[in-house]
């Protein structure tokens, strides 16, 4: 009944219902005043006016507009006044038709349909009780009107629910598309940062380190007091400063998730912010400081696996486990999703980009580790990564 919650089509139907009720009440009053009925005109007009007043007051009462209980009370009062009108004049049965719509629309279906049946029975009883000639139309008319009202309202409600469901689905798809676009842009930016970090580490930093070692060796081979010793020392110091700067670049280009804490902290934050899935993170063993390439690879694999869990597996729960062992570190990501054929996905034959599994396997192989996937349709997925620890077990 709240006008702010009505669709344009429902507003038109509401207006038509008001006009129909007002017209039928006016018809009852006119027939009573012109002597078309045998009942006292004053009593019929009073009852019709009372019903019109109760009807008009309903949309103005906040409880009627916002609660089922308020609407039920209003309908009870309206029905009682209508029953008085039925007792006074057989013309009151015409108002049964708009009353049907109100009963089905404002009450739950389990109460609305029986209430319509009671209203139809009251209309038929009023017609018979006023001594009108009995015929099939006296019984069929109210029943057909009740059936039409019930079918119309319930049909419209079903269409409205379907329309709302489609609207919400479209909104979710638009929001998901925007999120995927943002995620792709972010992934591209992070991938470029990682590529630059690897390039600087593998080329520039290694070259400067080699230059520094060569200059140090050259300085040791020079005779004592050689004029070139000072130049070589300055060159070595410059190479050392540039090497430190290159390493700062590598650290700055590392994933921002690792800037403020350990890999375990980054994985715990990843689980806490995972969309559409309840994720839990656990660790086992004694945590060790891992080399930056290890932390980056494990974090990216966990992000990709958890993303697959939300986008493709339609899982409700996932668990990420980081295990520190004597000679290796392991990462396991397990979900309860729909599963898939791991042979096709890992080899990139899945038809949808391989779910990112080939990229995960390439990361692990680059670090000399092992990558396994266990899954089957309808049985969830388990991704396991094992990386050998470098000498000393730390960066």
């Amino acid at each position: 009944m709240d006008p702010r919650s009505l669709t344009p089509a429902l507003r038109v139907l509401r207006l038509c219902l008001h006009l129909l009720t007002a017209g039928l009440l006016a018809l009852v009053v006119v027939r009573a005043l012109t002597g078309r009925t045998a009942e006292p005109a004053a009593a019929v007009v009073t009852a019709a006016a009372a019903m019109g007043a109760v009807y008009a007051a309903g949309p103005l009462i906040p409880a009627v507009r916002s609660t089922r209980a308020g609407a039920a009370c209003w309908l009870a009062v309206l029905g009682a006044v209508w029953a008085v009108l039925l007792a006074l004049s057989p013309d009151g049965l015409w108002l049964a038709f708009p009353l049907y719509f109100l009963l089905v629309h404002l009450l739950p279906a389990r109460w609305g349909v029986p209430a319509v049946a009671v209203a139809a029975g009251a209309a038929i009883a009023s017609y018979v009780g006023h001594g009108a000639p009995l015929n099939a139309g006296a019984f069929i008319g109210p029943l057909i009107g009740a059936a039409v009202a019930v079918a119309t309202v319930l049909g419209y409600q079903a269409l409205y629910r379907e329309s709302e469901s489609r609207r919400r689905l479209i909104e979710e798809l638009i929001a998901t598309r925007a999120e995927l676009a943002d995620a792709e842009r972010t992934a591209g930016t992070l991938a470029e940062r990682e590529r630059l970090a690897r390039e600087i580490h593998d080329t520039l930093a290694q070259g400067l380190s080699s230059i520094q070692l060569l200059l140090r060796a050259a300085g040791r081979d020079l005779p004592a007091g050689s004029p070139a010793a000072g130049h070589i020392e300055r060159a070595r110091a410059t190479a050392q400063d540039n090497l430190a700067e290159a390493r700062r670049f590598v650290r700055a280009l590392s994933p921002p998730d690792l800037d403020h804490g350990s890999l375990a902290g980054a994985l715990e934050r990843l689980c806490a912010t995972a969309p559409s899935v309840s994720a839990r993170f656990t660790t086992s063993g004694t945590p060790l400081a891992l080399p930056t390439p290890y932390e980056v690879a494990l974090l990216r694999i966990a992000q990709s696996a958890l993303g697959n869990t939300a986008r493709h597996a339609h899982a409700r729960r996932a668990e990420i486990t980081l295990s520190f062992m004597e000679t290796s570190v392991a990462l396991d990501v397990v979900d309860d999703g729909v599963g898939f054929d791991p042979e096709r996905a890992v080899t990139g034959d899945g038809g949808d980009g391989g779910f990112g599994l080939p990229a995960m396997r390439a990361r692990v192989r680059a670090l000399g580790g092992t990558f396994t996937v266990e899954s089957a349709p309808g049985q969830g997925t388990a991704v396991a990564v094992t990386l050998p620890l470098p000498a000393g077990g730390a960066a």
Side-chain angles (χ1 to χ4, degrees):
M1 292 291 290
D2 189 351
R4 294 172 296 180
S5 65
L6 301 179
T7 63
L10 196 55
R11 288 193 183 95
V12 173
L13 292 175
R14 185 170 178 264
L15 178 60
C16 292
L17 185 64
H18 293 341
L19 294 176
L20 177 61
T21 303
L24 292 176
L25 284 172
L27 181 60
V28 172
V29 171
V30 170
R31 285 178 59 85
L33 293 177
T34 57
R36 300 294 182 87
T37 59
E39 290 74 13
V44 175
V45 171
T46 301
M51 185 173 181
V54 173
Y55 182 89
L60 303 178
I61 302 174
V64 175
R65 297 198 306 264
S66 58
T67 64
R68 284 281 177 86
C73 293
W74 174 66
L75 287 174
V77 175
L78 186 65
V81 178
W82 177 63
V84 173
L85 184 61
L86 282 178
L88 295 174
S89 172
D91 296 337
L93 67 86
W94 297 333
L95 290 156
F97 192 67
L99 191 60
Y100 295 156
F101 283 96
L102 290 174
L103 292 171
V104 181
H105 180 65
L106 296 179
L107 296 178
R110 65 179 183 276
W111 300 109
V113 175
V116 168
V118 172
I124 295 173
S126 172
Y127 185 84
V128 174
H130 283 282
L134 295 179
N135 53 63
F139 297 90
I140 296 177
L143 295 178
I144 291 179
V148 170
V150 170
T152 301
V153 174
L154 295 183
Y156 176 82
Q157 290 177 348
L159 291 175
Y160 179 75
R161 287 193 296 269
E162 183 178 356
S163 175
E164 284 295 295
S165 176
R166 290 182 178 179
R167 181 185 62 80
R168 288 192 295 268
L169 179 60
I170 292 174
E171 291 178 352
E172 291 175 0
L173 290 175
I174 293 174
T176 302
R177 185 172 62 181
E179 291 175 0
L180 288 176
D182 291 340
E184 289 176 358
R185 286 193 295 269
T186 303
T189 302
L190 295 177
E192 183 63 14
R193 287 170 54 135
E194 290 182 26
R195 187 188 69 81
L196 290 175
R198 288 195 302 269
E199 292 294 330
I200 294 174
H201 179 273
D202 296 340
T203 58
L204 182 60
Q206 296 297 336
L208 290 172
S209 180
S210 299
I211 291 172
Q212 183 189 18
L213 294 175
L214 291 172
L215 289 173
R216 183 177 296 174
R220 287 196 300 266
D221 293 340
L222 287 175
S226 172
H231 298 296
I232 291 178
E233 180 60 26
R234 285 191 294 273
R236 192 191 67 79
T238 302
Q240 174 67 25
D241 293 341
N242 288 328
L243 177 60
E245 188 68 20
R247 286 172 175 168
R248 281 194 294 271
F249 286 153
V250 171
R251 286 194 297 272
L253 291 171
S254 297
D257 307 271
L258 298 172
D259 287 347
H260 307 288
S262 62
L263 172 63
L267 292 174
E268 189 169 2
R269 289 191 296 273
L270 175 65
C271 291
T273 58
S276 307
V277 64
S278 175
R280 187 180 67 169
F281 171 70
T282 57
T283 59
S284 65
T286 303
L288 299 173
L290 299 174
T292 299
Y294 277 49
E295 292 188 338
V296 172
L298 292 175
L299 178 60
R300 291 292 179 244
I301 291 172
Q303 289 174 332
S304 182
L306 200 58
N308 290 343
T309 297
R311 288 192 300 271
H312 303 295
H314 307 294
R316 292 174 297 177
R317 294 184 298 275
E319 183 169 351
I320 298 179
T321 305
L322 182 64
S323 305
F324 294 92
M325 293 168 281
E326 292 184 0
T327 59
S328 61
V329 59
L331 177 74
D332 298 284
V333 183
V334 182
D335 66 60
D336 62 351
V338 297
F340 63 97
D341 183 358
E343 292 296 328
R344 297 181 61 199
V346 174
T347 57
D349 298 331
D352 54 2
F355 299 93
L357 295 178
M360 299 184 204
R361 182 174 60 177
R363 283 183 180 275
V364 174
R365 284 184 174 178
L367 296 175
T370 58
F371 176 79
T372 58
V373 179
E374 296 181 3
S375 182
Q379 298 184 12
T381 303
V383 174
V385 175
T386 303
L387 298 178
L389 288 175

